[in-house]
Amino acid sequence: MPKSSKKRKEKAADFTKAKLKLGKGKRLPSNVVDTSFKARSIALPTQSITVEKDNVPTTKRKRTFNDILSLLKHYNASVRKDAISSAKELFEDFPDLVKSHMPPLFGSCARLIGDEDAGVRKTLLSFFDWLLPRVPKDDLLPHAPLLLLFTTSAQTHIFPEIRIDGIRFLDLFMAVLPEAVVTGWDTSGSGPGRRVLDGYLGLLNSGTKFGASGDDAPATSTSAVILSSQSRLVVLRSLSNFLRCTARSQPATDRSIPNPSQATPSLPTWFLRPFFANTNLYEEHSHLFRTPRVDRREKQMRWTLRPSFESFDEDFAYNMHSIPEVPSTLTELLGCSTYQDKSASTPDEIAMLMRLARTLFSTLSVSYLDCAPVVFSPSVNPPETDLQLLTAAMEITRTLYSVVLQSTTQGSDIIPSCNELKTLIGYLTGHFPFKPAHRDTKVEQAFQNLNVIYCELTSLVVLVSSWWSSEAGQHGDTSIRSLSRRLSLKYTKTSKLDIQTELVRSYVVRVLNGEGESGDQLPRPLMPSVYIALLPSVWALLNYPSGPGVNSDEAVTSSVLSAILDHAIRTTSSSAVKRLTVEFVARLLLLEKERGYIGCFNPTNVRVDEKWQQWMLHLPKALWEMGYNNLCSSETVIQALLRLVQRGSSIIRHEHVTSLSSRLVPFFTVSHPTRGDIPGPFTKIPVSALHIRRLALDLSAIVIAEHIKGERGSGDGSTVCHDLERAVRVATAATPEEEYWAQLAVTMQLSSRCNPEDLYST
């Protein structure tokens, strides 16, 4: 039967659109939910209507610190980023809040180090860069474990960009808390240092974990990715900084952190250590120029006509027949060397660095081979990224192998490291000396840095060869001779080492003479950092061992030594390098009679006597020019002259003592024909620098006594001696040093009537 019309209408109603009628409004759907409600009052407990916030610090958007903490955990990345900016704004307006709010702040911010949003990480980096230097170090240390825990976690994140940002956070933490970052780097125990190192190696595809055994590093993880040049540069730079921090954290007699009270860093002496019979004798030499401290008990030596030798004092009796007969009270000269003695590392640390160098050798080789042809192109200046990549790789090489090869206790274990270093140097030898294709100040400075590092690396190999050769010659040990042969250090004119040494010698002499690249007309002054970096190379060239194929290495030594002396004389008294040149040349001269010195270099064997004496006689003028304006340099000059005269250096003869006496007079008092006595720079040295004033008086006393001693046979020159004595007496009148000089004057008169044998006879 046909369907009824009623059912047809009902089915059609579902698809029929209702017609709108005027004034009736739109018909609501059948599934609408009524959300209307009625209430007599509305409670808003967190709004400013009911809560007073006048005494609570807020941002411009009325956000308190608690509001910011809650927003740092928000699911939206834009909100988290904005919360970090609000935190910076709050602490800028209310800096007193930082100290009291650090625990919750670092607890929330640490979790954002590995945030998946790049904008949040970038904003957090900027915030930490602003905040961390403003917080005292002692207040930051308790939060370092938490921050480094999340940072090392970010180093191993699945996303490469988070790994690279983790390295950037490490750089910030190493700038303010280097000890906390490197703690435990050489052990597998507590401390984040080993985890940080493993993160570096994993990023560089040098193994996901650095093995503690002597075996090679395990295979690279398949999850490792190939880094771009920019990312690789970030990792290598940070690794270089990390290795430098590990070197600073090692205990040593010489620290590598410059003294903030000095205008220039102190002279390094670590390269001299292998050339002394033992560590104690080396430390005696390194302490020659240390500044005495007024807050410590200083050793006092009273020189008398008949000293008691019941308690033998080696410092007093050293070279006793050469010490001038001046029975005065002289403060012990203590050295002020701030460069680290890298050889003070323990055997376990050195073994660890040797394995690390072996692990990174392939990474460094790739960096050298990839970047060197581009950087040293003769047609165009290098791209900045490639130049910085090569610089970072060479700095890592210098940091690693300098510690390893300075250790003389490893024996044959240093053979692989020495051969690895020679291989890396060989990649660059064909390009040395490095010159930019076109003149550019920034590129020239970068190339000078590369040249200096190359010289340092070459000098390490030469120093190792020199040390083993001197040991073999001194002890006649066949095992040492065998080791020297295994190091492939053959001294022939055609050997690679000889070629590299000659290239370094030529470059060092040219730099010391102030000669720049081709086209430079004026001499270029050396910066203190460059001069310090060249000293290991200078010392290596002075001790370069001669062999069967070398006709004469005296010419090499003479050319380098002449360049050093010429540069020391030519450098002005106001130069920042002047103090370094005075101390280094004085140390070279003092090696002549230094106890326990076993090196090849001997200042008396090189025929540059006139330059030695010219350098010595120019020091009084430099001292007068420095005066009280540069007390540190003045002290070094006084110490150098005092030590040389004390030890009876072979370059100081009677006529030189006479010249020293006359040239020291203006430093104390100048006698003017019409104006009378004019005070010299000595009188303007502040009383707070009492040790410098007394050192100057000690120098005058010893020079006068030495002059009187040499005058006995000649009977001339007494006027010069009296001029200096009068100048000192006038300068010390009515000063705290007047009594001190009076005592020295009495002892000088006594000593002038005695023979040296009578003074020190037992």
Side-chain angles (χ1 to χ4, degrees), residues 168-213:
R168 293 189 173 97
F169 279 104
L170 273 178
D171 290 337
L172 289 180
F173 299 145
M174 277 190 287
V176 293
L177 298 170
E179 300 86 356
V181 176
V182 302
T183 300
W185 72 274
D186 56 343
T187 62
S188 57
S190 60
R194 176 55 70 88
R195 300 196 305 271
V196 172
L197 184 58
D198 290 339
Y200 284 126
L201 298 180
L203 276 169
L204 293 172
N205 296 338
S206 298
T208 57
K209 187 172 179 59
F210 183 60
S213 62

Side-chain angles (χ1 to χ4, degrees), residues 113 115-118 121 154 157-168 203 225 227 231:
I113 292 177
D115 196 280
E116 294 185 0
D117 186 80
R121 298 194 303 273
H157 200 276
I158 189 173
F159 295 136
E161 58 271 16
I162 297 181
R163 300 188 199 180
I164 301 301
D165 283 342
I167 299 296
R168 293 189 173 97
L203 276 169
V225 296
L227 299 175
S231 299

Side-chain angles (χ1 to χ4, degrees), residues 252-256 265-276 279 281-290 335-343 406 463 532 535-536 539 580 583-584 586-588 591 594:
T253 57
D254 293 338
R255 297 292 296 169
S256 60
S266 294
L267 193 82
T269 58
W270 59 263
F271 47 84
L272 297 175
R273 187 181 185 276
F275 297 87
F276 281 82
T279 304
L281 295 176
Y282 158 72
E283 290 179 353
E284 287 182 8
H285 178 78
S286 65
H287 293 169
L288 287 176
F289 290 86
R290 178 173 295 176
C336 182
S337 181
T338 59
Y339 263 69
Q340 179 189 10
D341 178 10
K342 302 181 180 68
S343 60
Q406 286 170 34
L463 287 172
I532 289 175
L535 293 185
W539 179 248
L580 300 174
E583 182 177 345
F584 181 67
R587 287 187 182 275
L588 293 181
L591 289 175
E594 193 67 80

Side-chain angles (χ1 to χ4, degrees), residues 690-722:
L690 179 63
H691 64 284
I692 300 180
R693 298 171 67 94
R694 294 203 170 186
L695 280 176
L697 298 180
D698 294 338
L699 173 61
S700 302
I702 291 179
V703 169
I704 293 175
E706 185 70 16
H707 181 82
I708 294 175
K709 183 180 68 174
E711 209 178 44
R712 292 190 183 116
S714 60
D716 56 351
S718 59
T719 304
V720 175
C721 173
H722 294 157

Side-chain angles (χ1 to χ4, degrees), residues 127-322:
F127 175 60
F128 276 172
D129 188 27
W130 172 85
L131 176 66
L132 296 181
R134 288 169 168 78
V135 180
K137 187 175 182 179
D138 293 338
D139 295 337
L140 280 178
L141 281 175
H143 307 285
L146 177 65
L147 294 173
L148 292 174
L149 176 64
F150 282 92
T151 305
T152 53
S153 176
Q155 275 187 290
T156 58
H157 200 276
I158 189 173
F159 295 136
E161 58 271 16
I162 297 181
R163 300 188 199 180
I164 301 301
D165 283 342
I167 299 296
R168 293 189 173 97
F169 279 104
L170 273 178
D171 290 337
L172 289 180
F173 299 145
M174 277 190 287
V176 293
L177 298 170
E179 300 86 356
V181 176
V182 302
T183 300
W185 72 274
D186 56 343
T187 62
S188 57
S190 60
R194 176 55 70 88
R195 300 196 305 271
V196 172
L197 184 58
D198 290 339
Y200 284 126
L201 298 180
L203 276 169
L204 293 172
N205 296 338
S206 298
T208 57
K209 187 172 179 59
F210 183 60
S213 62
D215 302 333
D216 294 336
T220 304
S221 171
T222 55
S223 63
V225 296
I226 299 176
L227 299 175
S228 64
S229 298
Q230 291 288 349
S231 299
R232 193 177 187 84
L233 175 60
V234 173
V235 178
L236 286 179
R237 272 182 170 177
S238 183
L239 177 58
S240 177
N241 191 19
F242 177 83
L243 293 175
R244 284 196 297 269
C245 291
T246 61
R248 294 193 192 102
S249 65
Q250 299 168 10
T253 57
D254 293 338
R255 297 292 296 169
S256 60
I257 303 176
N259 189 341
S261 64
Q262 297 176 358
T264 56
S266 294
L267 193 82
T269 58
W270 59 263
F271 47 84
L272 297 175
R273 187 181 185 276
F275 297 87
F276 281 82
N278 55 58
T279 304
N280 292 333
L281 295 176
Y282 158 72
E283 290 179 353
E284 287 182 8
H285 178 78
S286 65
H287 293 169
L288 287 176
F289 290 86
R290 178 173 295 176
T291 303
R293 300 178 184 175
V294 296
D295 59 344
R296 59 171 292 177
R297 291 185 178 179
E298 298 174 354
K299 180 174 165 185
Q300 301 289 332
M301 299 185 297
R302 181 169 292 279
W303 293 9
T304 62
L305 292 177
R306 297 286 180 178
S308 174
F309 288 91
E310 295 178 0
S311 58
F312 185 73
D313 189 342
E314 292 183 351
D315 290 337
F316 173 77
Y318 170 73
N319 195 17
M320 57 180 64
H321 291 289
S322 299

